[in-house]
Amino acid sequence: MPEQYDLIIRGGSVFDGSGAPSVDADLGISGDRVVRVGAIGEDAGGEVVDASGLAVAPGFIDVHAHDDWLVFSEPDMEGKVMQGVTTVVNGNCGWGVHPQSAARTPPDNSPVPEWNSYGDYFKVLAERPPSVNVAMLAGFGPLRAGAIGSATEERPASVAELAQMRAWMREAMESGCVGMSTGLIYEPDRYASLDEIASVASELVEFDGLYASHVRGEGETLLEAHAEAMEIGRRAGVRVQISHHKASGQEWWGKVTQSLAQIERAQAEGLDVTADQYPYTASSTRLAAMAQNGQFARDDDAGERVLLAAVPGHAEWEGRSMADLASEWDLPVDQAVERVIEQAGDGVFAVSFGINEDDVRMVLQHPSTMIGSDGLGYGSKPHPRHYGTFPRVLGRYSRDEGLLPLETALHKMTGMAAAKFHLPDRGTIREGAIADLVVFDPATVIDGATYEDSRRTPVGMPWVVVNGTVVVRDGTHTGARPGRGVLRDQS
Ligand SMILES: [Zn+2]
């Protein structure tokens, strides 16, 4: 009897996600699992992918995603899927989804389903599956805004409000979230003290959930801000993930040397602290948050370096710099920013150039760093990271610049991420693992998206498999939506 599989990936160089070099092997997939790693006879049955000359790796885990709502409005998730991402970890930077009425909705008007808990969110996801798998961090922001009844209250939470936040956090963990996130430059998170956050984070302990933080400052106060995140980890007794590790603003370039040393010291003292990074010199967030954090007041040239990405109702401004609009309107830049927010709301997203290329390289090479896109897939000019992060690391930084071996780059996208975020049987290739897989060409793989043409898909990433189902076949999205909610510690 010839062997029978649903899918056979034949003749590729297989990277198992552990950081080990590749081995030549065929893969046999049945249902949602890899059931055979090794030689598979020519007479075996099943759809065959010819991977000769190509690399085969576990599907990429995007540990820093903001696709909480996008998975419903754009379920094909082209930006992520086409770059080889098979699982997104949503809810980063404190931007969670529950309570829904207190959550920050995205800058498009697409209708979203309703939910009343994290458990509910996962149910909705099962009813409306996207093309990728979805793991969730519970964002601190809606918990605080929901408990206090306002996102702008600068006071500490009361005892009762804190109890409510902790109850919601517990429900999130019981429902399968992987941890909690904060975004301490944003309202309402910025008004929470270390004590308050550590108190809510203590709900993570019995689940071994992690604390992921967009820290309180990424420039002048970078080291203090990292120290706060680590102190929250120590005090609550939980593992820590520093979000999008960088030094932002030219004055602070080079500071990542110190922040990396700080991570090493904390690790040596026994703290489980790691970070994620997107491989670009521009960041992206809400324009209103840039203004609130003084970006336009501090820096005369800030307008030149800020491009509008998503502007609800004013697509004609997307792609233009704030300096350009300010000069057209004959206004100082900070007033032009105010006008944009007045007319388009505080959901406007912008791209801001402020990171040093050598810093990007140094953080990427460091063993504490894994890969997360931080993509914001809205508007006509989203930051290109939503479409290009993973192929850019593989093509530009690993192959072309030789900064890190391919197996190391892949480990940062797969095995390292799965271990930290408690996603068993993913981020690895072995018999019995979930069949989340990518087949790519190491010689040609590269990002296509640029700041000008930011929805261009990558090249050299011809096959993507999610839970055993082919989602990208020969470079084309098949329309399949086999994604699932991925619960902590469950495959
Ligand atoms: Zn962030």
Side-chain angles (χ1 to χ4, degrees):
M1 272 291 285
E3 302 159 85
Q4 182 67 40
Y5 302 97
D6 294 327
L7 186 67
I8 298 168
I9 299 178
R10 197 182 281 289
S13 301
V14 177
F15 292 85
D16 68 3
S18 70
S22 65
V23 296
D24 293 340
D26 306 325
L27 302 185
I29 293 126
S30 289
D32 65 357
R33 303 271 167 171
V34 174
V35 295
R36 170 82 180 134
V37 180
I40 294 177
E42 288 297 329
D43 58 348
E47 178 180 2
V48 176
V49 176
D50 177 7
S52 48
L54 302 178
V56 182
F60 306 144
I61 298 170
D62 183 356
V63 297
H64 195 107
H66 290 291
D67 302 321
D68 312 46
W69 315 77
L70 197 68
V71 290
F72 300 119
S73 59
E74 214 183 291
D76 284 347
M77 291 294 297
E78 188 188 56
K80 296 294 173 72
V81 162
M82 299 301 285
Q83 52 172 316
V85 171
T86 55
T87 300
V88 295
V89 180
N90 282 336
N92 273 279
C93 300
W95 302 356
V97 299
H98 179 71
Q100 195 173 15
S101 59
R104 206 176 272 292
T105 51
D108 63 3
N109 295 317
S110 57
V112 288
E114 288 182 20
W115 49 79
N116 287 306
S117 64
Y118 274 94
D120 239 21
Y121 179 88
F122 284 118
K123 270 185 218 146
V124 173
L125 206 51
E127 286 159 12
R128 299 177 54 166
S131 294
V132 292
N133 298 308
V134 179
M136 293 297 289
L137 291 160
F140 179 79
L143 305 185
R144 187 173 214 272
I148 293 186
S150 159
T152 56
E153 291 268 356
E154 300 187 27
R155 63 176 174 81
S158 70
V159 172
E161 289 158 353
L162 190 59
Q164 176 64 78
M165 290 156 69
R166 291 181 62 152
W168 279 328
M169 191 63 234
R170 170 157 289 267
E171 184 277 324
M173 295 310 291
E174 285 169 349
S175 297
C177 286
V178 294
M180 155 179 156
S181 78
T182 57
L184 299 180
I185 68 159
Y186 301 116
E187 290 182 322
D189 306 37
R190 60 191 288 149
Y191 305 126
S193 65
L194 188 160
D195 285 343
E196 184 181 312
I197 298 164
S199 168
V200 179
S202 65
E203 295 294 340
L204 304 169
V205 175
E206 74 177 80
F207 307 96
D208 197 27
L210 65 82
Y211 172 65
S213 185
H214 175 155
V215 297
R216 223 178 270 275
E218 295 183 318
E220 187 174 9
T221 59
L222 178 67
L223 301 178
E224 294 86 336
H226 280 195
E228 182 190 35
M230 295 176 196
E231 182 56 24
I232 288 167
R234 283 187 202 97
R235 216 174 287 178
V238 299
R239 301 171 302 125
V240 177
Q241 177 83 352
I242 304 281
S243 295
H244 41 58
H245 188 178
K246 60 177 171 292
S248 200
Q250 192 165 356
E251 284 174 88
W252 318 112
W253 288 356
K255 223 175 178 178
V256 294
T257 313
Q258 295 167 63
S259 56
L260 287 167
Q262 184 185 28
I263 287 175
E264 288 171 12
R265 280 195 305 275
Q267 288 175 333
E269 289 162 18
L271 186 68
D272 182 337
V273 53
T274 49
D276 50 70
Q277 182 197 30
Y278 51 84
Y280 293 87
T281 55
S283 59
S284 182
T285 189
R286 290 170 39 249
L287 183 68
M290 292 181 190
Q292 185 170 39
N293 285 279
Q295 190 167 332
F296 301 100
R298 201 164 49 229
D299 177 352
D300 292 341
D301 302 324
E304 305 280 355
R305 289 197 285 271
V306 172
L307 308 175
L308 294 178
V311 190
H314 290 277
E316 72 279 10
W317 296 341
E318 293 172 357
R320 296 187 65 182
S321 76
M322 277 316 309
D324 180 24
L325 281 174
S327 97
E328 179 179 310
W329 296 337
D330 200 18
L331 287 174
V333 168
D334 55 343
Q335 286 178 36
V337 167
E338 270 173 42
R339 180 188 281 193
V340 171
I341 294 167
E342 262 168 38
Q343 296 195 16
D346 73 353
V348 175
F349 284 142
V351 167
S352 172
F353 289 85
I355 308 167
N356 177 258
E357 180 69 40
D358 286 334
D359 285 4
V360 171
R361 295 184 177 115
M362 197 183 310
V363 171
L364 180 62
Q365 285 176 284
H366 196 268
S368 66
T369 305
M370 54 192 92
I371 310 302
S373 72
D374 203 4
L376 298 163
Y378 295 98
S380 64
K381 301 283 183 202
H383 190 302
R385 65 197 184 185
H386 188 73
Y387 281 76
T389 290
F390 292 82
R392 185 175 172 87
V393 170
L394 298 174
R396 178 182 170 122
Y397 291 106
S398 174
R399 181 192 58 228
D400 296 346
E401 296 196 9
L403 290 186
L404 63 178
L406 183 55
E407 58 267 29
T408 306
L410 289 167
H411 176 59
K412 290 170 175 287
M413 306 171 174
T414 59
M416 183 181 180
K420 181 88 189 202
F421 286 77
H422 279 239
L423 308 174
D425 296 341
R426 297 185 195 272
T428 181
I429 293 181
R430 55 170 167 71
E431 292 179 2
I434 295 272
D436 286 348
L437 301 163
V438 298
V439 179
F440 67 96
D441 184 350
T444 62
V445 66
I446 198 74
D447 53 313
T450 62
Y451 296 97
E452 296 76 31
D453 188 2
S454 54
R455 288 184 180 272
R456 222 157 76 201
T457 53
V459 298
M461 190 70 68
W463 293 81
V464 181
V465 176
V466 175
N467 299 323
T469 298
V470 176
V471 170
V472 178
R473 173 178 281 119
D474 238 340
T476 303
H477 197 303
T478 62
R481 294 174 185 170
R484 301 174 188 157
V486 176
L487 309 185
R488 182 195 66 257
D489 287 324
Q490 294 181 30
S491 66

